[in-house]
Amino acid sequence: MAAIVTVLIGGPRTAYAAERAAGTEERPCPVAVPTGTTCGYLLVPERRDVPGSRTIRVGYAVHRSTSPQRRPDPVAYSSGGPGSPSLRLVGFLTQMFPDRDVVVIEQRGSRYSEPSLACPEVVGGLVETLKTPKATADEIDPIAKGALACQSRYQAEGIDLRGYRTEEIASDVADLRAALGYEQWNLMGVSYSTRSMAEAAARDPRGTRALVLDSFLPAQVNWYDAAAADLRATLAKLGAAGRFDEMLARYNAAPAAYQTTDPLTRKRIDVRLTGDDIATILGEAMRETEFLPLVPALVDALADGRKELLGPVVDAAGDALTSHDWGLYYAVQCQDEAPFNTFAAAAGPRLFTGVADAAVCTAWHLPRSSDEPGAVEAPTLVLGGQYDPTTPPESARAAANDIPSARFAEFAGVGHGVFLASECGRRTISGFLDAPASGSATAAGSAGAVCDPGAGASAPVRPGDLHLTAAPYRISQSPALIAPLAVFVLVAAAQLVAGLVALVRRRGGGAVRALAGLTGLAFAGLTALSVTGVPNDIVFAIGLPPAIAWYGLLVAASTVLSITAAFRLRAASADIVPVMTGLVFVTWMYGWALA
């Protein structure tokens, strides 16, 4: 048996009521799932420390493997947040673990559990603060008002927020294993759920075969107090820290105006973002691995005043505000995380996540949880992403070094959530679960490594690597904006055909028209090759390959040839069409698309 180790995790440890065996009930799956998946509710007390506490329902799904090599120990997974839905990943996880049953567990209070602790009132309050140029820290009243409205609604529904914390979530996991009849299983958590899964392993040592902690959030880290420094450190790794400070100062002095979609009403609204607001939105976007290569070029452009390039990130931030069940998020954070932080004003940036969370927790007055540690016996794999600004690999590595049975691997070029972004990360997890006690499936530094976590990172996009423009994103939102390009290509094709016909029939001007059409189509072909050759489509959020600006010279040449053909003696009146099309397209291309 692996040595018993101590992992500090948030949440008190009250006596586990083993005599209150949890029951289950089946239900239709609320999301699309693979064939062979069943869904249900785990029936548990809202508060295990209160006799006679009401029963609540915790959502879960089970996919039974049909592989001939099916292993007896399933993988049990829960998403982070707190408050992120888990069931949507059933299909992804079954592909990752084809030879094991997969159990996906919702957190109590999530959207696929009952009750579901959504809190749109707080989201609405936060959106209100972003509509003015003031710093969020100076106008927290809408957030606090929304929090109190949520709390009053929960009280009217008989919901006791003290039952929604890490300790209870972890006990739900342990209860579900027993209810499903598995002798042992492997626990896997990401971000926040690394805490709840580590605590579940501590509460159920005989039932836990192995533990995977992806983007580990150690409880000894004061997350809010460290957030600004962690973001800055990640930007320094990307070589963007200096320009980031310039960007921060520029927009704190003169907030940037954007139009985006209200995540609640879906109406277009105007927001005014300070440098601190932009830093917060960038930090959230940097959790996504595919976005990370753009950061150096984007920060550099923002520091130069190219605020329009942040449009895609602002729009995505609005959608992210509906990705969590915020009542559950705040119930956990206000009991298990916020009380252990000072929320002292940092040198910068002042992230509005910390400001908003402090405002909600002050309004709710929930009791602070105990930080008593839980002892984990299972072999443990800890994974971190090189550029993760939320749960940096440095803190995860330090925590793993304090766990004798733990192994740590850092994955190059990856942000938050290694298993979602890295094929090597997924292979490393699978290899570890095949033999968790042997040490042979470590990702780095051993002869038994299944892959190299330091390989395969996308190169950061530096200033000058792209022709920066917001046009591709705007076109993706309004495809009609690409009409000038489409018309130009069609006219060039028609011009080439007309010129070839004129040459065959030995009419005047055929060669010039054919050459004009061919030159226009050459532009279209080279542009298409340039665009399709981009390995990561996300670059189109902020720019285009620089070569396209040079290919535009072919458009100019085609237009000059068209003018020559149109103004020759006895030219057809239709020859003026390519001239007008070319002039309009040149203006569109250099005056808007590449501006």
Side-chain angles (χ1 to χ4, degrees):
M1 178 180 293
I4 296 179
V5 298
T6 298
V7 181
L8 294 178
I9 54 179
R13 301 189 66 211
T14 58
Y16 176 60
E19 68 277 5
R20 291 190 64 176
T24 63
E25 63 181 31
E26 292 188 5
R27 62 146 173 181
C29 291
V31 297
V33 294
T35 302
T37 303
T38 58
C39 296
Y41 287 121
L42 177 73
L43 309 180
V44 291
E46 186 171 50
R47 291 185 61 183
R48 290 176 172 85
D49 59 335
V50 174
S53 177
R54 73 168 187 159
T55 297
I56 63 172
R57 291 170 168 81
V58 178
Y60 71 88
V62 179
H63 178 82
R64 308 282 180 180
S65 173
T66 58
S67 170
Q69 290 79 40
R70 177 181 177 272
R71 298 171 184 268
D73 46 285
V75 172
Y77 168 82
S78 181
S79 289
S84 293
S86 304
L87 290 183
R88 295 173 182 176
L89 285 177
V90 173
F92 184 89
L93 292 164
T94 57
Q95 294 177 18
M96 186 173 168
F97 304 110
D99 58 348
R100 283 187 163 87
D101 290 0
V102 170
V103 181
V104 175
I105 312 165
E106 288 293 329
Q107 296 162 19
R108 55 170 55 206
S110 71
R111 70 191 59 182
Y112 301 124
S113 297
E114 292 182 2
S116 174
L117 302 186
C119 189
E121 294 92 333
V122 168
V123 176
L126 182 57
V127 171
E128 284 300 313
T129 70
L130 297 177
K131 290 181 179 179
T132 70
K134 294 182 180 179
T136 303
D138 296 332
E139 47 176 355
I140 62 173
D141 286 349
I143 299 172
K145 182 179 178 181
L148 291 172
C150 255
Q151 189 178 44
S152 296
R153 178 164 52 81
Y154 296 151
Q155 290 172 346
E157 295 171 3
I159 295 170
D160 188 344
L161 289 173
R162 292 170 293 178
Y164 299 84
R165 59 188 191 273
T166 301
E167 173 199 15
E168 294 285 7
I169 293 170
S171 293
D172 293 342
V173 175
D175 278 356
L176 184 60
R177 182 197 61 77
L180 295 178
Y182 289 111
E183 183 176 348
Q184 273 195 326
W185 62 9
N186 307 285
L187 297 179
M188 178 174 162
V190 60
S191 191
Y192 161 73
S193 67
T194 58
R195 287 187 176 178
S196 58
M197 287 305 206
E199 177 66 1
R203 291 173 175 276
D204 188 23
R206 293 184 181 180
T208 306
R209 175 177 175 268
L211 177 64
V212 176
L213 304 176
D214 185 342
S215 304
F216 186 28
L217 182 62
Q220 54 265 50
V221 173
N222 292 333
W223 184 71
Y224 292 110
D225 291 345
D230 288 343
L231 174 58
R232 188 180 296 279
T234 302
L235 287 161
K237 293 180 189 177
L238 289 163
R243 294 293 275 166
F244 173 77
D245 289 337
E246 295 178 37
M247 180 212 75
L248 198 64
R250 172 186 280 271
Y251 297 107
N252 275 336
Y258 295 93
Q259 190 174 80
T260 189
T261 301
D262 187 311
L264 298 176
T265 67
R266 308 312 299 175
K267 296 179 180 178
R268 299 297 287 176
I269 57 171
D270 295 316
V271 295
R272 300 285 299 279
L273 303 182
T274 66
D276 291 336
D277 296 335
I278 292 174
T280 307
I281 291 171
L282 272 178
E284 291 297 309
M286 287 168 60
R287 295 159 65 99
E288 303 299 328
T289 295
E290 60 268 24
F291 175 76
L292 285 166
L294 300 186
V295 171
L298 178 57
V299 169
D300 185 77
L302 288 170
D304 284 339
R306 297 289 305 274
K307 64 180 184 179
E308 75 279 3
L309 297 177
L310 193 68
V313 185
V314 174
D315 288 346
D319 292 337
L321 289 175
T322 58
S323 65
H324 286 53
D325 296 296
W326 293 104
L328 170 59
Y329 171 88
Y330 286 118
V332 173
Q333 294 296 91
C334 293
Q335 296 178 85
D336 295 344
E337 181 62 49
F340 302 95
N341 291 256
T342 65
F343 291 95
R350 189 81 185 272
L351 304 177
F352 67 64
T353 46
V355 171
D357 292 7
V360 173
C361 293
T362 299
W364 278 10
H365 292 296
L366 292 175
R368 163 179 167 154
S369 296
S370 166
D371 60 350
E372 183 181 346
V376 176
E377 299 180 6
T380 303
L381 174 65
V382 180
L383 300 88
Q386 177 188 12
Y387 296 132
D388 184 353
T390 306
T391 53
E394 291 78 12
S395 59
R397 181 186 289 107
N401 287 338
D402 292 336
I403 304 173
S405 63
R407 286 163 259 168
F408 175 81
E410 179 178 324
F411 292 80
V414 175
H416 194 65
V418 173
F419 85 100
L420 291 169
S422 170
E423 172 63 26
C424 182
R426 293 188 286 274
R427 291 175 59 193
T428 298
I429 294 170
S430 296
F432 167 74
L433 294 182
D434 287 345
S438 70
S440 63
T442 308
S446 75
V450 296
C451 56
D452 181 4
S458 298
V461 178
R462 303 295 178 187
D465 290 348
L466 278 179
H467 184 96
L468 298 175
T469 170
Y473 179 70
R474 291 170 178 167
I475 289 170
S476 72
Q477 301 300 297
S478 301
L481 291 172
I482 206 170
L485 172 60
V487 172
F488 174 79
V489 173
L490 289 173
V491 169
Q495 196 177 19
L496 175 60
V497 171
L500 292 175
V501 170
L503 283 173
V504 170
R505 296 180 179 179
R506 298 185 180 181
R507 294 176 181 172
V512 177
R513 279 186 286 177
L515 185 57
L518 182 62
T519 305
L521 291 178
F523 161 78
L526 289 171
T527 298
L529 286 174
S530 182
V531 168
T532 57
V534 173
N536 186 351
D537 288 349
I538 198 171
V539 302
F540 299 123
I542 65 169
L544 291 166
I548 292 177
W550 293 102
Y551 296 156
L553 296 176
L554 292 171
V555 178
S558 175
T559 303
V560 170
L561 290 168
S562 296
I563 292 172
T564 302
F567 290 94
R568 66 179 177 82
L569 188 62
R570 292 189 298 275
S573 58
D575 283 339
I576 198 65
V577 174
V579 175
M580 299 305 298
T581 302
L583 291 174
V584 168
F585 182 62
V586 167
T587 303
W588 176 87
M589 181 175 178
Y590 288 104
W592 181 76
L594 297 178

